[in-house]
Amino acid sequence: MQLLKKIPFFLFLLVVFFCLHGSVENYGYLDLYEVMEVGGIITACIAIFFVLLWLFTKDHLFAGLLTFFIALWYLFFGAIHDLIKTTSFLHFLQSYTVLLPVLLVVNILVAWWLKRSKVLYQKLFLYLNVLFLIFCVSDVVLLVNKAASYKEITYPDPVAFDQSKVTARPNVYFLLFDEYAGYKSLSDSFQYKNDSLYQFLQQQQFRQMPTFSNYDFTPFSLSSILNMNYVPQNYNPGLLDQLDIQHRFGEIRNAQVPVIFKSMGYSIVNHSIFDIKGKPALFQSNGLFPIHAELLTNKIFHNRLIKNVGWWLATGRFSMRFIREHYMYRKDAYNLQVEKQLLEAAATPAAEPRFWYAHFLLPHGQFYRDSLGKLNPAEKILNLKYLADKSLYLSYLKYTNNVIKRVVNHISIKDPQAIVILMSDHGFYDYIGSGGYEPYNYDNICFVKDPAAGPDTANLPRSNVNVFRYLFNSRFGQNLPYLKDSTIFVIEDPAVLR
């Protein structure tokens, strides 16, 4: 008992609780190594801060308590900030220009109070040690219960596939260009006719599919495309939360399309932002959705700060090169890597047929480059208010067209008999408006190149959910019925998802 009054076990228990609690919330989407790595780094940082404060104050009890208080709000800053934004009488605190000074003042007041309350130190040590020991034990129980009851998320009614009807197995490239708007929305809303790309694809023997997207949000759209089914209605479309996104990630990880290709003897090549079973995402961090270790760390103070106002630290005279290149330009680096690896893999022969899934965050915002590929000014890239800038989007789309042409030309030369699906998950969705349903959000592109397919204009898919049903019917001998075409409006919570 005396040790609990003198030794700050609660500093280590705080880290254990942080990792356990995050693991309970995100069970099935983290592995042990990722959790231990995050816990080790946080423990080292807290230990260093504690030792420095102890050396400065010559009082390990005071140093332990102040370190604990600072680490507590630092680790759980995102949860605190989200609570402030969703509580009406606390809205005045949500701006960083208000919240950061308030945090500074609170830290000073806590330090002052601790200095004047030395008589309480041992009681506080005992209380915090016991409290966080209880928290940790509780989360261990919850984690064990999760492990015992956890089931992989899959679609309840898998599509039946008859392998006996398959007569040929060409390579298949699924090239997804995120947020690429369709011809109509570009023409109507941007006053831009995208004829050059359409003419190029026509020359490359692509067939334009008259499809529209079923969802206006990437995880939902990709889940439905890769499972050839609508997303189970186990969510509130008016306000998505992190659990809804995790369900979509699970559905994509166990998606039926890759499973069907595997059953035909295909190997899966994953150059995307999502995990496919046995094939992890290209990057452990993609700058769009938190995955892997970022599920634990994305709400820590510095990560939330960089995510929301990081452009302050990447522009102007106070800019920091490390933050600009390693945090704020991640999606650009990701896109370059997707193209590089796709071109290298396409040029490498293999003994077995391959199914490629390449997911480009193009022309999805932020809008890193102009039409010629030159990086835009940092403020226009990093300040989120520019996500609704149509001129920047259009310029980035023209740059995307050049990427598409390079990739298509390369595949045509290196793998001329391959099937290529080139499509987007949804259209441009940052139209300035009331935030309600916007039909243009669902106007996307979809082209298919299949050198061995015969003409069939009477039985083309009408929406994204049916694209792979069409492919399996037209090229792999199946007779899958088309689902009824519809659009479904879902609203993301920016505090959780952006």
Side-chain angles (χ1 to χ4, degrees), residues 61 67 80 96 105 216 220 243 261 293 436:
L61 298 178
T67 299
I80 296 169
Y96 283 93
V105 170
D216 58 332
F220 281 73
L243 184 61
F261 276 109

Side-chain angles (χ1 to χ4, degrees), residues 369-376 395-396 398-400 402 406:
R369 299 177 182 273
D370 64 15
S371 60
L372 299 178
K374 181 181 178 182
L375 284 171
N376 285 318
S395 184
Y396 204 35
K398 293 176 182 177
Y399 163 74
T400 303
N402 291 329
R406 284 199 302 270

Side-chain angles (χ1 to χ4, degrees), residues 66-134:
L66 186 57
T67 299
F68 169 81
F69 172 76
I70 293 174
L72 181 66
W73 71 255
Y74 199 100
L75 292 175
F76 293 94
F77 174 83
I80 296 169
H81 196 209
D82 292 344
L83 177 65
I84 289 171
K85 288 188 287 188
T86 55
T87 306
S88 58
F89 68 88
L90 294 176
H91 280 179
F92 72 99
L93 287 172
Q94 65 180 320
S95 170
Y96 283 93
T97 56
V98 176
L99 183 57
L100 295 184
V102 167
L103 276 175
L104 178 61
V105 170
V106 170
N107 280 321
I108 293 172
L109 290 176
V110 168
W112 173 79
W113 178 77
L114 287 173
K115 272 293 187 183
R116 293 174 58 89
S117 307
K118 292 185 178 182
V119 68
L120 298 175
Y121 284 2
Q122 290 193 2
K123 291 182 179 179
L124 286 172
F125 263 56
L126 177 61
Y127 172 74
L128 292 175
N129 280 331
V130 172
L131 179 66
F132 274 84
L133 184 60
I134 293 172

Side-chain angles (χ1 to χ4, degrees), residues 177-186 190 194 198 363 393 397 424 426-428 431 440 443-445:
F177 286 84
D178 207 309
E179 202 180 337
Y180 197 111
Y183 192 92
K184 178 175 175 56
S185 55
L186 287 176
F190 292 78
N194 200 11
Y198 283 64
Y393 173 82
L397 181 138
S424 57
H426 55 75
F428 180 71
Y431 294 97
Y440 282 153
D443 183 39
N444 69 313
I445 62 169

